[in-house]
Every structure is written in C-alpha cells, then in structure tokens.
Amino acid sequence: MEFVKKKLENINIVFISSLPLALAAGPAIIEFFTAIIIINFLILKKSFHFHKTESIIFAFYIILVASSSFSEFKLHSLDSSVFLIRIILLYYVFKHYLKHNLKKILNLTLTILFATLTILIIDTFFQYFNDYSIFGTERLSRNRVVMHFRDEAIMGGYFSKVIPI
C-alpha cells in the first residue's frame, strides 16, 4: 500500500509541475489535470488544515452556493458556483505539496516550463515563416500566429503571462 501511495504522490507532483504545459494545451487538459490532482489527494486521505483566515474563504463559498439556490435561475447560478470548490480544493492541495515538496516541484516545473516555452518558440518561428505550425495549425491572418492545438491567436498572451515565472 505504501508503494501505491508513493506513486500517487509522485503523479500529483508531476501533474502540478505540468500545469504550465496544460495551460498551453487547452482548458480541457487543465480541467483533467486538476481533477486528477484533487482525486489523488483525496485518495491519499490527506487532511485539510484550515487556518482562521482560510475558513473565511470556505464560509464564503458556502454562502455563494446557498445564495445560488435562492436565485431565480437556479441551474445557471448553481452551475457557476458549485464547481468553484475545485479551485478551493486545489489551493489546499498546492499548499500541502508546496510545504512538503517545494524543491522537487520547483525543479520539475522549471524543466517542464523551459521545454514548453522552447517548443512554443520554435513553433512560433516555424509558423511565422511557413504559415502553418509544426502541429498543423494554420495562421488566421498574415500578422498573427496561433497557439498549437487551438485556433486562437493567444500566443503573445501566453508568453507574457508565463515568462515572468
């Protein structure tokens, strides 16, 4: 059983470190990674330690869900508020892993981030000169390149948000 727990722990560390890559790949990948991280954390039966200030965040979440249930458009309102729990849970998961595995996560994150940025820069230059990317995505206009796997021209936005890391 200890072997399985160690494997799940390592899987979570890899998924946490791979989030910059998931951001480049798309929203479905991010949702998949966060779901795996939270499920593994709950399987490992790690405990959540709430401080007083953090319990205010959880109380605010409960108030959001309660107020959504009194809304005129309950389904739409609950859809947007109930699933916020994954962000709160992800915060506690990150807090736990960064407290216990900071060095390992930072090294792996920087390695994956470097590889991701290198591939994206090579893909950007290839797309700029050839009008299509290495991944087969074609440019939408002459003066804008698009992200791989998507038809959105957000390459510059991704770089501006990720490079400061």
Side-chain angles (χ1 to χ4, degrees):
M1 188 66 177
E2 193 63 36
F3 175 74
V4 173
K5 285 186 177 186
K6 190 66 176 163
K7 286 292 183 187
L8 286 176
E9 191 90 17
N10 287 336
I11 288 171
N12 264 2
I13 289 171
V14 169
F15 275 117
I16 288 170
S17 299
S18 299
L19 284 176
L21 174 65
L23 285 170
I29 304 297
I30 296 169
E31 294 298 326
F32 175 73
F33 278 23
T34 56
I36 295 296
I37 291 167
I38 291 170
I39 290 169
N40 282 349
F41 190 79
L42 294 175
I43 288 172
L44 292 170
K45 296 181 179 146
K46 302 284 184 181
S47 60
F48 294 106
H49 300 287
F50 296 108
H51 296 317
K52 277 187 178 180
T53 56
E54 294 169 339
S55 60
I56 293 171
I57 294 170
F58 194 72
F60 182 68
Y61 170 74
I62 298 296
I63 291 169
L64 281 175
V65 172
S67 69
S68 292
S69 65
F70 296 119
S71 172
E72 203 172 297
F73 305 101
K74 287 182 182 160
L75 189 60
H76 178 69
S77 185
L78 284 171
D79 183 41
S80 62
S81 63
V82 167
F83 294 109
L84 287 175
I85 191 69
R86 74 183 188 279
I87 296 169
I88 296 170
L89 291 176
L90 202 59
Y91 164 76
Y92 290 108
V93 170
F94 276 28
K95 180 180 152 187
H96 170 80
Y97 279 106
L98 291 176
K99 183 187 270 186
H100 299 292
N101 301 311
L102 180 64
K103 190 170 182 145
K104 189 174 185 180
I105 290 174
L106 281 179
N107 288 335
L108 189 57
T109 302
L110 289 176
T111 303
I112 292 172
L113 188 61
F114 179 75
T116 303
L117 290 176
T118 302
I119 291 169
L120 285 178
I121 289 170
I122 290 169
D123 184 46
T124 301
F125 281 120
F126 187 84
Q127 190 175 151
Y128 181 77
F129 292 116
N130 297 317
D131 291 334
Y132 64 94
S133 79
I134 296 169
F135 303 102
T137 309
E138 293 190 23
R139 287 171 65 174
L140 297 176
S141 68
R142 185 76 189 131
N143 56 354
R144 293 198 70 176
V145 293
V146 295
M147 258 335 244
H148 61 290
F149 307 129
R150 299 190 239 179
D151 294 333
E152 301 172 2
I154 58 170
M155 187 77 73
Y158 178 79
F159 281 126
S160 69
K161 291 176 179 86
V162 172
I163 285 181
I165 293 174

